[in-house]
Amino acid sequence: MVKAAAIHGELRKRPFAGRATAPVFVDLAIYRGYHMTHHVKTGTAQDPDLGNYANYPVSRASLLRKFGRDLTGRSGLRALL
């Protein structure tokens, strides 16, 4: 979630939040291509992010857990392992 916001330039508008992208452990230039494929194929079987949002809407508690994992770097570490 934080990576997607960074790709769309949302975090540049908020200086403190821009620093929150550090724990994602991903080269945002590389991720941008992957994420743009998601936009072109959104909701189709070829959408690389379909598994990330297929079960939405989620509860508020679930959404907060997702943000917590992103902001603490847990999502990024999981992607590395």
Side-chain angles (χ1 to χ4, degrees), residues 41-58:
K41 303 191 182 283
T42 299
T44 69
Q46 294 81 33
D47 181 351
D49 284 341
L50 186 60
N52 294 336
Y53 67 86
N55 296 319
Y56 277 47
V58 297

Side-chain angles (χ1 to χ4, degrees), residues 14-80:
R14 297 164 185 87
F16 173 77
R19 290 190 297 273
T21 61
V24 298
F25 301 109
V26 132
D27 182 329
L28 291 179
I30 293 170
Y31 178 71
R32 181 172 283 114
Y34 168 89
H35 187 69
M36 292 304 132
T37 300
H38 155 70
H39 280 281
V40 171
K41 303 191 182 283
T42 299
T44 69
Q46 294 81 33
D47 181 351
D49 284 341
L50 186 60
N52 294 336
Y53 67 86
N55 296 319
Y56 277 47
V58 297
S59 69
R60 180 179 175 89
S62 176
L63 184 61
L64 290 174
R65 284 192 303 272
K66 292 174 192 315
F67 279 132
R69 286 192 299 265
D70 280 358
L71 293 172
T72 61
R74 288 179 57 207
S75 297
L77 283 173
R78 185 175 17 182
L80 288 175

